[in-house]
Amino acid sequence: MASTAPGSSGAVYTDPVRYPQSASPRLRSKRAFLLLFLTLVLPGSAQIVAGDRRLGRMALRITFLVWAALIAVAVVALTNRVLLVNIFTNSWASFLIMALLAALAVGWALLFINTFRIIRPPLLKRNVRPAVAGAMVLLMVLTSGSLAYGAWLLNVSRQTFDNIFASGPAFDPVDGRYNFLLLGGDAGADRTGLRPDSMSVFSVDADTGQIVTLSLPRNFQNAQFSADSPLWQVFPEGYSCGDECILNSLYPVVTEQYPELYPESEDPGAEAMMDAASGILGLEIQSYVIVDMEGFSSLIDAMGGVKIDVGGWVPITAGEIPGTNLHYPPDGWIAPGVQTMDGYTALWYARSREFVTDFHRIARQQCVQQAMVAQLDPATLLTRFQAIASAGEEVVHTDIPQDQLGSFVDLALKSKNHEVQRMTIGPPDFGTAADNFATYPDFDLIHSRVQEKLATSAAAAAGTAEEPAPEPVEDGAIGSSDPAEPEAPAAPAPVEAPAPAQPSGPEITEAYLQELAQIGDTDTLAMLLDNNGSCSVG
């Protein structure tokens, strides 16, 4: 506002907000911080009260539109979270959102610069100017910087999703569940093609997100195929040619000898493994995910490590002695106890099976999988997103369509409320190592036990049934969440003398274990390491 002072011929402006010349130094300082605050909470309002009103009105319109959009996003997040995720993971939609965020970041930064000009720093006291400039820079980083970071995250995610996931429509659950096969691929220099050393089916309840992991031994034999599988033409009696036809050899066999059976597939070997898993478990497997085990360590490092309660000593396997099936003494040992493993350690923890059975390794792989699911939280994703995304592009290959991401992300969030259930198609859930269940499997028993496991887990997750009390597991058996198949009562065994207590013998240390490995005492090592599958999430 303007008024004419007595005895003066000119106008004197007395509105201290728009005309700070007439204000006191203290009022000018308050005005400066007020205008910055207005630009923070209501972009454009500082220009309305103290600057270019036309610019202010345009900025306010944009501000109100953004608020309306945020309210709409919140409503959609509460009512249809899958739709929201699908929008943000769609390539074109995420590009538009990214461009919008970048434009808003630039616009907000320009408003702060314009506000700084309106403040007119030369009118401020010298000791106040640095504080005002510092506050403006800080607010620009918090506002424009956050928007720019969000745009960058969207750009990284767009590239990652486009490189990892397939095109095509999303698929529906089967019998209320999504079933996909996770393969840990090992395509080392000493191997012909990729040979999966880790095979698990993740069965996810479409309503609750409850996950059941069904692990398949690498040496499983006689895998069956349904009549509508292309492999029925080649193996009508199942994949049953003896030791050469263990399950993990199916991938390279089909890739190299029968790729024409899956003419429309980019990965015939993976399709064959899906058909085999379907026949073994009696489930329809809908998609596959292949994780390169050599690159697995980079993914763990990108997550900042993985925390696991190690059950027992685990050797880090050394190279193979030329001309033999034996290995040099271990390169190191993973000690018992709770520890946060880096990628190298976690890789060997999941891969090692020296001195023990493949079922010990399966149990440890299940622990690593559970730990990754438990520890890959939003905070980890936000702070390590680029590293995780870059590692993911290098180590993950899948036929899951990108349009499926909405439902899968929603299920991943729900799964945090439930403990992952697990079952191994072999010891300890099916017989013992001496029973050779993996060599002579009972498929009717597998199918019935799998359905029972899924039904029990779904009921427990939905709160409609109580979990049964766990049955005792035989001494020496690997830890499991599912009891072994009950057997008929046997005659009481004669009481044997108890084994000598450990304190009377040498202390189990890395040096002692290494000494046993150097002298080739594999029997003692097998006994001492028999508990290295009894692990849990740290």
Side-chain angles (χ1 to χ4, degrees):
M1 61 182 287
S3 64
T4 304
S8 174
S9 60
V12 178
Y13 296 98
T14 59
D15 183 350
V17 177
R18 184 165 287 276
Y19 307 106
Q21 303 93 317
S22 61
S24 66
R26 183 169 176 271
L27 193 56
R28 291 173 186 172
S29 298
K30 288 184 176 181
R31 170 183 177 273
F33 288 108
L34 174 63
L35 293 177
L36 289 177
F37 178 75
L38 289 175
T39 304
L40 171 66
V41 299
L42 192 60
S45 57
Q47 283 68 31
I48 290 290
V49 300
D52 185 344
R53 289 193 173 96
R54 181 180 178 184
L55 174 62
R57 286 192 293 269
M58 182 174 65
L60 282 176
R61 292 191 190 100
I62 296 174
T63 298
F64 293 144
L65 285 174
V66 171
W67 285 3
L70 292 176
I71 293 173
V73 168
V75 171
V76 174
L78 293 174
T79 59
N80 194 340
R81 187 166 54 187
V82 174
L83 173 62
L84 186 63
V85 176
N86 280 333
I87 291 173
F88 277 87
T89 55
N90 179 270
S91 184
W92 283 107
S94 61
F95 176 80
L96 293 176
I97 296 172
M98 178 190 70
L100 178 61
L101 290 176
L104 290 174
V106 173
W108 211 343
L110 291 176
L111 278 180
F112 270 111
I113 294 173
N114 183 262
T115 300
F116 193 67
R117 183 187 66 81
I118 296 172
I119 289 172
R120 299 175 68 176
L123 296 178
L124 301 173
K125 286 185 176 181
R126 288 185 179 274
N127 61 341
V128 176
R129 296 172 192 172
V132 172
M136 185 195 71
V137 171
L138 177 61
L139 294 177
M140 287 178 66
V141 170
L142 292 176
T143 55
S144 295
S146 297
L147 290 174
Y149 182 64
W152 175 78
L153 285 180
L154 271 178
N155 186 52
V156 172
S157 64
R158 284 180 68 252
Q159 296 176 358
T160 302
F161 295 151
D162 289 344
N163 290 334
I164 292 179
F165 295 94
S167 58
F171 48 80
D172 296 323
V174 176
D175 297 328
R177 307 190 71 89
Y178 292 102
N179 304 308
F180 63 93
L181 176 66
L182 176 65
L183 300 173
D186 190 350
D190 59 339
R191 299 207 173 185
T192 302
L194 183 143
R195 184 180 289 254
D197 274 359
S198 170
M199 294 160 284
S200 301
V201 169
F202 278 60
S203 183
V204 188
D205 190 299
D207 292 326
T208 65
Q210 168 68 54
I211 299 174
V212 177
T213 304
L214 306 165
S215 296
L216 303 171
R218 64 188 294 276
N219 62 341
F220 192 96
Q221 296 185 31
N222 302 303
Q224 302 294 299
F225 307 102
S226 62
D228 59 353
S229 168
L231 286 175
W232 179 271
Q233 306 171 30
V234 183
F235 304 109
E237 303 298 325
Y239 192 51
S240 55
C241 62
D243 291 343
E244 293 183 4
C245 285
I246 61 176
L247 183 58
N248 82 327
S249 70
L250 180 63
Y251 188 106
V253 166
V254 172
T255 299
E256 297 160 19
Q257 301 179 25
Y258 306 105
E260 70 281 356
L261 295 178
Y262 300 92
E264 298 180 0
S265 174
E266 295 182 359
D267 195 334
E271 296 282 351
M273 297 299 294
M274 289 170 59
D275 283 356
S278 293
I280 293 170
L281 302 173
L283 299 175
E284 181 178 335
I285 311 301
Q286 299 165 283
S287 59
Y288 65 83
V289 178
I290 299 176
V291 178
D292 174 25
M293 296 300 286
E294 289 297 331
F296 174 77
S297 60
S298 64
L299 183 59
I300 295 292
D301 286 335
M303 291 177 57
V306 63
K307 191 175 183 181
I308 295 176
D309 188 353
V310 178
W313 290 90
V314 177
I316 298 177
T317 307
E320 191 173 278
I321 301 174
T324 72
N325 291 325
L326 305 176
H327 292 267
Y328 291 106
D331 287 335
W333 294 82
I334 301 172
V338 178
Q339 54 179 289
T340 299
M341 300 181 184
D342 60 13
Y344 174 82
T345 307
L347 174 63
W348 276 111
Y349 183 75
R351 294 184 68 180
S352 176
R353 58 189 174 94
E354 193 172 10
F355 311 124
V356 292
T357 71
D358 194 45
F359 301 104
H360 293 78
R361 176 168 72 167
I362 287 174
R364 283 184 266 110
Q365 288 171 350
Q366 291 172 339
C367 285
V368 173
Q369 292 166 356
Q370 287 180 293
M372 292 180 68
V373 170
Q375 296 167 35
L376 194 60
D377 52 32
T380 301
L381 277 174
L382 284 175
T383 56
R384 300 175 177 272
F385 187 82
Q386 184 183 27
I388 293 174
S390 298
E393 287 186 48
E394 297 177 6
V395 305
V396 178
H397 169 63
T398 181
D399 69 340
I400 295 176
Q402 191 166 335
D403 288 349
Q404 196 74 48
L405 285 176
S407 58
F408 275 22
V409 170
D410 183 61
L411 289 176
L413 294 174
K414 291 180 180 178
S415 70
K416 294 289 186 180
N417 300 321
H418 308 287
E419 182 181 355
V420 177
Q421 302 294 312
R422 49 181 176 163
M423 173 184 282
T424 300
I425 311 305
D429 297 310
F430 292 87
T432 64
D435 295 333
N436 289 325
F437 186 86
T439 304
Y440 306 103
D442 182 338
F443 290 101
D444 290 336
L445 176 61
I446 293 174
H447 295 175
S448 64
R449 288 283 305 282
V450 167
Q451 290 300 322
E452 178 185 345
K453 182 70 174 178
L454 297 182
T456 302
S457 300
T464 58
E466 296 183 358
E467 288 282 359
E471 297 180 21
V473 180
E474 296 181 17
D475 291 341
I478 309 166
S480 170
S481 64
D482 207 46
E485 182 70 10
E487 299 177 358
V495 178
E496 298 181 1
Q502 180 59 41
S504 64
E507 180 184 359
I508 301 178
T509 63
E510 181 172 348
Y512 176 58
L513 294 173
Q514 191 71 6
E515 180 183 352
L516 293 175
Q518 289 171 346
I519 64 176
D521 190 351
T522 56
D523 290 338
T524 301
L525 283 170
M527 178 186 67
L528 296 178
L529 304 183
D530 190 54
N531 66 337
N532 76 6
S534 303
C535 54
S536 61
V537 177

